[in-house]
Amino acid sequence: MITAAGDRAVHFHPASLAARAALVLRDNDTGRLVTASPKLYPHMWSWDAAFISMGLAYLDVRRAVAELDTLLAAQWRDGMIPHIVFTQDTDYFPGPDRWGTDAAPQRPHGVRTSGICQPPVHAIAVRRIVEIARKTSQDDAEVAEAFAERAWSSLYRWHRWIVRHRIPDASGLVAIVHGWESGMDNSPRWDEPYAAVLPGPDLPPYVRLDLLQVDDPGERPSDDEYDRYLWLIEQLRRADYHPDRVVDTSAFLVGDVFVTAVFALACDTLAGLGEELGRNGEEIDDLRAWAARARAAVALSAHPETGMARDRDIRGGRWLSAETIAGFSPLLCGGLPADVESRLMSTLDGPAWSGHPDLLAAVPPSVSPSSPDFDAKRYWRGPQWPVITWLFGWAFEQRNWPRHASEFRAQGVHLVSDGAFGEYYEPFTGKPLGSTNQSWTAAVVLDWLCGV
Ligand code: 9WN
């Protein structure tokens, strides 16, 4: 097992950093799946698994494919890909009993899962695995293409589930029913909608286990936030995880611009893959139409001058405008007028974001240091997240902005060069926070360093 470095005086050479990243993935591999991290997250998370599989592809394409096969085997019968696939480990709360998904009629058989979802990045991972495999050998290319062929319909059903069940209002944004579905759990984006979530007196008691795994509870969400997270699970259980009943009854219902932008990217990516594989034209047309609608919804949410995208509190009937990384979602998927888009890119490069003079690495923090909501070490309220840097860099590549893509890659590598594979980083000191040896951090490091 590798021990975390995390000393900023230590800078690993790229080859040693890549070797350490490979060891992190190997150490976190249970055989059936790679856990999101060794202790804090001892299960499979949906969007982590997508990034992890991409990193695994540099080590062993068959193992990469097996990772996504494990995730897809847990797909619910209605098409939803659940946010956690549980192992037998009991050190994480809330575990499967608290989720109570065993009673949901559309749950998958033979595996226990949570009952919500996460950002739909999976098609992007499949695309990347195919690209990586094609550069390694004919045999790897065949394995990856055969996988893409068999995974395609599952991913199409996943995207169709989102369209059928999660675009509930005229904003056209993909809605989430729990902050965990955004992947950015305690972001200030959710402060207003969470203020309206009032845990009932019948919230069953619970004990947090996450705080046992971090050095400082100030790196994790507060107890007050946890009560709300748990109360929403209670509401989902009471709706039997029925997708429409959940949307009708959850106290939290927010159109998420980041998830919507990722959805637009993923629909286009899946459509492109489908064209290559000779898939049914109607399904490809659906994906293209869903991508166009999602892109338009993100653009429509944006402030007309700054281009900053805004989430929509659907329950509260208002736009939300916290200054977070999600505001830059239109740069992921496009759709803004050219002048507004270039203003938005200048803001991202500027002193309130990646160009802040005190940052150790010039990549955007999760919240602007000039925002009153900024907290340098608390989870999604300020720290820099390598995986988010990777996603923006990848999108910039797709959008044909190679200079930005390579700057994000170089600065991302600088951020993680201490070799600790932090879940997230304190932006001024570069201290690794949350979990170390976090699998998706190792995976994106492999892509940055070995990328084709
Ligand atoms: C809740 C696993 C996951 C990531 C999320 C991140 C965090 C879980 C938690 O860890 O969420 O799903 O317990 O805090 O916010 O993006 O997928 O790495």
Side-chain angles (χ1 to χ4, degrees):
M1 181 194 287
I2 72 160
T3 48
D7 177 351
R8 290 310 320 188
V10 176
H11 290 280
F12 284 91
H13 181 273
S16 334
L17 194 61
R20 287 176 74 88
L23 282 179
V24 169
L25 293 185
R26 197 201 59 190
D27 284 348
N28 294 346
D29 193 348
T30 66
R32 184 170 75 98
L33 55 87
V34 174
T35 59
S37 72
K39 294 200 183 92
L40 184 57
Y41 308 118
H43 306 287
M44 170 182 262
W45 263 258
S46 165
W47 75 324
D48 297 56
F51 294 108
I52 290 167
S53 67
M54 192 183 78
L56 288 170
Y58 288 99
L59 313 176
D60 176 352
V61 168
R62 284 186 166 75
R63 182 64 194 79
V65 158
E67 191 69 7
L68 288 180
D69 272 332
T70 298
L71 179 67
L72 292 177
Q75 182 169 24
W76 283 32
R77 279 181 284 150
D78 58 7
M80 183 182 80
I81 296 185
H83 110 291
I84 302 178
V85 179
F86 289 107
T87 62
Q88 300 297 324
D89 196 291
T90 51
D91 288 343
Y92 177 83
F93 179 85
D97 292 337
R98 182 68 176 221
W99 281 97
T101 44
D102 290 347
Q106 58 302 7
R107 77 188 185 284
H109 291 305
V111 57
R112 303 187 83 191
T113 76
S114 69
I116 56 171
C117 57
Q118 272 191 323
V121 290
H122 313 88
I124 296 172
V126 175
R127 163 91 269 162
R128 197 78 187 121
I129 292 170
V130 169
E131 283 165 8
I132 295 164
R134 282 182 180 156
K135 297 272 174 166
T136 48
S137 71
Q138 178 65 28
D139 181 48
D140 279 351
E142 282 167 17
V143 169
E145 284 162 12
F147 169 69
E149 180 75 51
R150 73 174 182 275
W152 201 89
S153 299
S154 308
L155 293 178
Y156 174 82
R157 288 199 312 117
W158 162 220
H159 287 204
R160 191 179 59 192
W161 180 89
I162 291 174
V163 170
R164 286 190 176 163
H165 302 294
R166 288 303 185 84
I167 307 190
D169 82 337
S171 72
L173 293 172
V174 176
I176 57 172
V177 296
H178 194 298
W180 283 345
E181 292 201 310
S182 71
M184 301 188 188
D185 313 6
N186 70 335
S187 170
R189 300 168 70 191
W190 319 131
D191 287 355
E192 280 188 41
Y194 266 131
V197 175
L198 303 175
D202 48 341
L203 174 67
Y206 67 96
V207 177
R208 287 180 69 173
L209 298 179
D210 58 315
L211 297 179
L212 304 177
Q213 306 294 350
V214 289
D215 296 340
D216 173 359
E219 295 171 20
R220 293 283 304 169
S222 67
D223 286 346
D224 204 40
E225 285 165 330
Y226 252 76
D227 276 353
R228 294 183 154 90
Y229 301 161
L230 270 297
W231 180 245
L232 289 179
I233 294 179
E234 221 35 50
Q235 292 194 318
L236 297 164
R237 278 180 81 131
R238 292 174 193 181
D240 298 322
Y241 294 101
H242 183 285
D244 297 327
R245 220 173 298 142
V246 155
V247 166
D248 288 344
T249 57
S250 172
F252 182 104
L253 185 69
V254 183
D256 178 325
V257 283
F258 174 77
V259 168
T260 309
V262 166
F263 184 59
L265 273 173
C267 282
D268 272 336
T269 304
L270 193 59
L273 206 53
E275 275 155 3
E276 262 181 48
L277 298 169
R279 302 299 298 214
N280 168 325
E282 260 177 51
E283 291 177 341
I284 290 174
D285 291 348
D286 285 346
L287 288 163
R288 294 283 184 208
W290 299 339
R293 267 162 37 199
R295 193 175 299 113
V298 172
L300 202 74
S301 80
H303 186 283
E305 274 166 33
T306 64
M308 276 285 195
R310 290 170 299 172
D311 298 303
R312 178 147 184 91
D313 181 359
I314 298 176
R315 279 282 174 265
R318 63 188 162 213
W319 292 101
L320 301 167
S321 43
E323 285 175 85
T324 77
I325 182 69
F328 297 98
S329 296
L331 298 179
L332 292 174
C333 63
L336 290 180
D339 57 332
V340 183
E341 182 167 89
S342 83
R343 222 172 292 139
L344 187 61
M345 185 52 111
S346 306
T347 306
L348 183 64
D349 289 340
W353 290 92
S354 310
H356 190 288
D358 300 331
L359 297 183
L360 179 99
V363 299
S366 41
V367 171
S368 167
S370 46
S371 158
D373 293 325
F374 178 77
D375 179 339
K377 64 176 188 198
R378 200 184 281 275
Y379 216 34
W380 292 98
R381 304 182 80 90
Q384 292 158 314
W385 286 70
V387 73
I388 297 294
T389 303
W390 183 90
L391 188 64
F392 272 88
W394 179 84
F396 292 164
E397 198 85 62
Q398 310 308 302
R399 304 214 53 213
N400 210 11
W401 297 330
R403 186 176 62 81
H404 270 96
S406 73
E407 274 169 14
F408 268 48
R409 189 181 315 119
Q411 290 297 315
V413 169
H414 179 45
L415 182 65
V416 300
S417 60
D418 64 328
F421 303 98
E423 184 185 5
Y424 43 99
Y425 285 82
E426 208 275 4
F428 306 127
T429 61
K431 184 176 189 282
L433 301 173
S435 175
T436 51
N437 296 335
Q438 179 84 7
S439 298
W440 67 5
T441 305
V444 302
V445 168
L446 282 170
D447 196 61
W448 278 330
L449 294 175
C450 315
V452 284

